[in-house]
Amino acid sequence: MTSPAPITAEPHSDVVPLDLTAWRSWLQDQVDPLWRPGEWSQQAWFFDGDVDNPRTSASKCATTSCWTVMPSRNLLCRHCLDAHRISTLSREEFVATYQRPRRIRTKWGSEREPCALEGPSGRCERPAYSGRICRTHYSRWRRRPDPETTVEEWLAVTTAEPLAARPTCIVRGCFNQRVVTGLCGTHVQRWERDKRAGATRDPEQWARQAATRLLTHQFTLRDLEDPVRWELLYALQQRDARGGIIEPMATRHLTRRLEGVPSLLTVDVASFIERIYQHHNLAALIRESVRSLRRASLSFRGLTPTDADTWDLGWMNLRSPALGGRRSRPGQVDASAIRQPWLREVIKTWATTVSLDSGKFKQVFAACVVASDALHARPSGGQDYTKLRFADMQAVFTAMSRIRRTTDDELASRNHRQQSFGYFMEIVDFGRKTDMLTGMPGSFDRDKTLVLPPEETSEDAAGRAGTCPRVVDTSEPGPGRGRVGGIFYGDEGLLARVQGGRCRAVPVGPESHLRGHRQGSGDQP
């Protein structure tokens, strides 16, 4: 109903380590160098997402014959989407039967099938160049004595030996074999095209520039400065550990915007998000990364999430029906609203000891804020719990009885106000049981007088609420109607007993049962 405690959508913590060198060393000890084997290379700081991994937001085009990598699953690439629009097939039939043209059926940049030549030592490891054989063996075949000899016939009689694979391309992240100048065939073609447009003629310099050109399922952290790349790697691993999906495209966009940033802890998240309008995945990634690092910075300083004045609800291991069964969404409470240190410590211990859900915690915290304000208004301010008396408890109860709804400033329901008082007493009881409030006077406790009176209900409101199921006009008795003592009955065989100004429905049977009820109840005319 009400929530005096401020609960906002995003935590703001100024816990920024001053020693960035020690902070980087701490992060290096926390990250897992063997994270995501087959996808992440710690040595190269390169992520090559597995399109078959459901925890990576990348997948092949939905068409079975297409290799194009898409940023999400069940999507068609532009070529297949255009082909589907002009076809007469349903989407299910199209993705199962469509064949991309042969000239674009091989994935761009991928290594071709190995050379078809085989010998006693095995198969040639060089990629096929033409006619199913590598460039070297193709040159040998071109020099064959009989020009009419086909490649298959030449393979059957040749004495050429299989060749070992060449070193990989010098472009970072490319694992194709070198062809010339340290580049693979694909990058040689791109370099030649770039040189005609005025690019550098130094292959190594060009390779460093080409390394930033990544595919949909790839990203690199190498170009980030320390400790930012360690911070982002730590945040990604924390996201993966809680069951989140790694999004290479969003990560790649984020790395481009972190140039010159000394630490992610210095990022103003709100201003950052304003500059990336409608890029929801990127906004979620930066928000979650900064929150994760702020919590890590507390551990780096030897603190716990509840040592600061602002408590992040996502850090308190609260139960939630969401993924993992624990709350991870942002949200905060201002612990400084609890003015008494002893009460704040009891709440902190209670929240980190008792298994409870997020909603229950917020309700209890809000009730404690009301109690804290009431104690603060007392002469001693409620600072010393050993000096609290029954008058202080009465002040707390009075404050609880005046809680109003935040929506329309009307008095909250009786049940909510009485429940809020019960929540505060739950905290007091916990402190006593755990010996955190040793010496608290027994007079600062529940009392039978500290109960809210029943809510007054008008006759019209009672009728609308269904308190009395049937109103009987006894001035004009009719069939099935009548009065027996203090009991009225109507056509449907219901008794409405008048008790303390209220009506209670009592089902009855035939008239003989009515007489029996009259005799047994003691209601005499």
Side-chain angles (χ1 to χ4, degrees):
M1 294 288 294
T2 60
S3 182
I7 298 174
T8 59
E10 182 179 342
H12 298 281
S13 173
D14 296 326
V15 184
V16 179
L18 300 178
D19 189 349
L20 292 182
T21 302
W23 169 237
R24 180 188 62 186
S25 299
W26 186 88
L27 289 171
Q28 290 174 344
D29 294 336
Q30 304 302 313
V31 300
D32 181 9
L34 302 180
W35 174 62
R36 288 283 188 118
E39 293 184 296
W40 172 250
S41 172
Q42 182 67 55
Q43 183 178 3
W45 289 90
F46 180 75
F47 185 89
D48 187 21
D50 181 2
V51 296
D52 295 323
N53 187 348
R55 299 280 295 281
T56 299
S57 181
S59 179
K60 291 182 180 179
C61 172
T63 305
T64 55
S65 65
C66 185
W67 52 263
T68 305
V69 179
M70 304 300 293
S72 186
R73 302 192 178 277
N74 299 320
L75 297 179
L76 294 177
C77 67
R78 182 178 297 276
H79 170 84
C80 293
L81 187 61
D82 292 341
H84 177 237
R85 286 173 177 170
I86 62 177
S87 72
T88 59
L89 302 176
S90 65
R91 191 178 190 276
E92 292 74 15
E93 294 173 332
F94 178 84
V95 299
T97 61
Y98 177 70
Q99 293 292 319
R100 290 193 63 160
R102 183 173 297 277
R103 62 183 178 83
I104 56 175
R105 195 175 298 169
T106 302
K107 178 180 178 180
W108 181 92
S110 62
E111 195 81 283
R112 296 190 177 187
E113 290 292 325
C115 176
L117 187 141
E118 296 188 34
S121 60
R123 186 171 179 173
C124 179
E125 297 179 353
R126 304 282 177 85
Y129 171 71
S130 180
R132 298 176 52 240
I133 53 180
C134 65
R135 184 187 294 268
T136 302
H137 292 135
Y138 179 76
S139 298
R140 298 265 313 253
W141 174 74
R142 290 287 300 274
R143 297 193 300 270
R144 64 194 183 280
D146 185 0
E148 300 297 328
T149 303
T150 63
V151 171
E152 286 71 17
E153 294 171 342
W154 180 81
L155 287 173
V157 299
T158 185
T159 58
E161 293 292 329
L163 302 175
R166 292 191 179 97
T168 57
C169 177
I170 61 175
V171 175
R172 185 175 66 246
C174 179
F175 302 101
N176 295 342
Q177 297 180 36
R178 301 179 184 180
V179 177
V180 292
T181 62
L183 301 173
C184 66
T186 301
H187 285 118
V188 166
Q189 295 176 12
R190 178 185 283 182
W191 182 42
E192 293 293 340
R193 184 177 66 249
D194 289 353
K195 282 194 297 183
R196 291 192 294 269
T200 178
R201 306 185 72 84
D202 181 358
E204 294 185 358
Q205 182 180 354
W206 181 88
R208 288 192 294 271
Q209 298 172 353
T212 61
R213 304 175 185 178
L214 301 172
L215 301 180
T216 303
H217 60 301
Q218 299 173 337
F219 66 83
T220 179
L221 305 182
R222 175 180 289 274
D223 298 327
L224 295 176
E225 299 179 0
D226 285 337
V228 177
R229 61 179 175 179
W230 288 101
E231 290 177 335
L232 187 53
L233 177 60
Y234 174 85
L236 291 172
Q237 291 190 3
Q238 292 297 308
R239 180 187 181 97
D240 189 41
R242 72 164 182 81
I245 294 178
I246 300 301
E247 302 184 61
M249 182 173 289
T251 306
R252 191 165 63 249
H253 288 316
L254 178 59
T255 57
R256 293 173 184 171
R257 291 169 168 81
L258 293 179
E259 295 180 2
V261 176
S263 170
L264 277 171
L265 293 171
T266 64
V267 172
D268 185 343
V269 176
S271 300
F272 186 95
I273 293 177
E274 288 180 359
R275 299 194 299 268
I276 53 172
Y277 178 67
Q278 290 187 341
H279 203 319
H280 304 299
N281 290 349
L282 179 56
L285 178 59
I286 184 64
R287 183 182 292 115
E288 181 179 353
S289 298
V290 172
R291 287 183 64 244
S292 177
L293 289 167
R294 284 174 176 167
R295 180 176 186 178
S297 68
L298 291 174
S299 300
F300 167 73
R301 289 171 169 248
L303 303 175
T304 65
T306 54
D307 287 334
D309 286 340
T310 301
W311 297 353
D312 190 319
L313 299 182
W315 299 349
M316 302 183 68
N317 200 33
L318 301 174
R319 291 201 310 269
S320 171
L323 180 65
R326 295 293 169 182
R327 177 184 176 125
S328 60
R329 293 185 297 105
Q332 68 173 14
V333 294
D334 183 9
S336 63
I338 307 295
R339 304 169 187 266
Q340 296 75 23
W342 63 267
L343 181 55
R344 190 184 309 130
E345 287 300 317
V346 174
I347 296 173
K348 180 197 305 183
T349 305
W350 171 79
T352 55
T353 303
V354 180
S355 178
L356 70 158
D357 58 65
S358 177
K360 171 70 177 294
F361 172 80
K362 289 190 288 186
Q363 291 174 337
V364 173
F365 190 89
C368 290
V369 170
V370 175
S372 176
D373 291 342
L375 292 174
H376 183 71
R378 299 287 295 165
S380 62
Q383 296 297 317
D384 187 354
Y385 65 84
T386 63
K387 297 181 179 179
L388 296 176
R389 296 295 183 265
F390 182 66
D392 299 305
M393 182 60 75
Q394 285 180 315
V396 171
F397 179 77
T398 301
M400 296 290 183
S401 67
R402 296 173 179 174
I403 294 177
R404 293 184 174 274
R405 296 193 294 258
T406 57
T407 55
D408 54 11
D409 200 36
E410 292 292 329
L411 197 64
S413 68
R414 176 187 180 277
N415 181 64
H416 174 77
R417 289 176 287 151
Q418 192 70 50
Q419 189 178 55
S420 296
F421 180 69
Y423 284 149
F424 171 69
M425 293 308 305
E426 183 177 342
I427 295 299
V428 173
D429 292 342
F430 177 84
R432 283 189 165 113
K433 291 178 181 178
T434 55
D435 296 329
M436 296 184 67
L437 300 179
T438 302
M440 174 175 279
S443 59
F444 189 75
D445 204 345
R446 296 177 178 83
D447 188 83
K448 62 181 180 180
T449 62
L450 302 180
V451 178
L452 292 174
E455 293 180 329
E456 295 184 1
T457 305
S458 64
E459 293 182 3
D460 293 340
R464 289 193 300 267
T467 306
C468 188
R470 182 174 180 85
V471 179
V472 180
D473 183 6
T474 59
S475 61
E476 296 182 3
R481 297 181 178 182
R483 179 180 186 276
V484 182
I487 303 175
F488 298 94
Y489 65 94
D491 295 333
E492 286 129 357
L494 287 176
L495 290 180
R497 180 187 296 274
V498 180
Q499 291 182 335
R502 295 186 178 185
C503 295
R504 182 170 64 88
V506 182
V508 298
E511 187 175 353
S512 60
H513 289 204
L514 174 60
R515 289 193 298 270
H517 178 81
R518 172 186 171 187
Q519 295 171 358
S521 63
D523 291 322
Q524 302 296 329

